[in-house]
Amino acid sequence: MFAEERYRQISSLVTTDGRVTVAGLSSRFGITKETVRRDLALLETDGVLRRVHGGAIAGSGATTIESSLTSRSSRHADEKKRIAHAALSLVPDSGAVVLDAGSTTGALAELLVQEARQDLSVITHSVPIAAMISGAGLSVDLVGGRVRALTSAAVGSSTVAHYARLRADVAFLGVNGLGADFGLSTPDVDEAAVKTAIVHSGRRVALLAHSSKFDEETLVSFAHLEDIDVLITDQAPRGPLVDALFDAGVEVIVA
């Protein structure tokens, strides 16, 4: 098992069970306790968990809780596929698109692979998406940086600087929270900086967001509603959010 996959499984276990032990993880993965401790230290740095004597517990604070990519990929899978199919209509036959890291943008990447878009260049900082696209023999530009274990996505100043130099036809964006006042938000500061750069990298910006993200606020706001052109989702927004989207001129597509 690759280390990245082990990190994702540990993240999922902490999220589900609330606690893991060094001994239990050592036995589960067939690795030394010292390796487990190094894994837990890395995941603590990413804000996934908090180390305690003999293991680790889930981090606290609703605005900073962030599920692993593996965990998110298994949730609302059918709805995310519908969102991805609707987003496919915005993908040009040729040119360049940016795919943000995430499970819903990952579903869109799967469709691009199925359609074998040979004249399309995909730009992403997501390691799994880049691997999927390149594995199908399609053109992909992997934006580098420090890869977060939790999301398998590159972050950091070099990642932000790379996106700042781009102007793609469409930037497809993911989000952790979408609110009328707070706008688009995510729990991690470094991820937020990359997402802000992605917003500015696209001639057109499409937000792919499951309805569970509506009226949620996580730690860092990285864009205003006015910064996006299209919201593609599985259910129509309601209340103050739908009014705010209308006032911001955002087109809403319900898949």
Side-chain angles (χ1 to χ4, degrees), residues 2-251:
F2 292 111
E4 292 293 335
E5 177 61 22
R6 191 171 69 245
Y7 299 152
R8 287 193 289 269
Q9 290 197 24
I10 293 173
S11 301
S12 181
L13 287 169
V14 172
T15 301
T16 303
D17 301 336
R19 181 184 182 92
V20 292
T21 66
V22 170
L25 294 175
S26 175
S27 174
R28 182 186 184 95
F29 297 114
I31 56 178
T32 67
K33 293 181 179 179
E34 184 57 35
T35 300
V36 172
R37 293 188 183 96
R38 285 198 297 267
D39 289 353
L40 296 181
L42 186 150
L43 292 170
E44 184 177 46
T45 300
D46 279 345
V48 180
L49 47 77
R50 181 164 60 88
R51 286 183 294 168
V52 296
H53 181 69
I57 60 175
S60 60
T63 61
T64 57
I65 292 175
E66 187 177 8
S67 301
S68 69
L69 178 61
T70 301
S71 175
R72 284 182 283 126
S73 297
S74 64
R75 299 176 191 167
H76 313 297
D78 291 340
E79 293 94 330
K80 290 176 181 178
K81 288 179 182 177
R82 296 206 313 267
I83 293 170
H85 274 286
L88 196 60
S89 65
L90 303 182
V91 178
D93 293 330
S94 60
V97 297
V98 170
L99 291 187
D100 188 12
S103 55
T104 312
T105 49
L108 176 57
E110 291 181 10
L111 294 179
L112 295 179
V113 167
Q114 292 172 17
E115 295 207 346
R117 296 290 187 98
Q118 298 290 343
D119 296 326
L120 184 71
S121 179
V122 175
I123 305 161
T124 185
H125 62 295
S126 166
V127 175
I129 289 177
M132 185 191 311
I133 298 293
S134 64
L138 305 181
S139 176
V140 62
D141 179 4
L142 175 60
V143 180
R146 175 180 65 85
V147 177
R148 293 185 70 217
L150 186 63
T151 60
S152 296
V155 295
S157 59
S158 61
T159 314
V160 172
H162 190 128
Y163 276 124
R165 296 193 297 269
L166 303 180
R167 189 67 74 240
D169 295 290
V170 187
F172 292 95
L173 191 68
V175 73
N176 295 82
L178 181 64
D181 297 321
F182 202 56
L184 288 67
S185 61
T186 195
D188 183 77
V189 173
D190 290 334
E191 294 267 10
V194 174
K195 288 179 180 292
T196 297
I198 289 175
V199 168
H200 295 301
S201 75
R203 299 180 188 276
R204 195 177 191 196
V205 180
L207 176 64
L208 312 185
H210 186 268
S211 55
S212 61
K213 310 297 178 65
F214 294 169
D215 303 314
E216 293 291 330
E217 295 179 357
T218 55
L219 184 62
V220 188
S221 174
F222 63 85
H224 302 293
L225 296 181
E226 291 82 1
D227 294 323
I228 61 175
D229 299 294
V230 185
L231 166 64
I232 306 176
T233 185
D234 61 299
Q235 291 185 23
R238 299 179 181 179
L241 180 57
V242 69
D243 295 333
L245 289 165
F246 178 81
D247 291 341
V250 178
E251 177 187 0

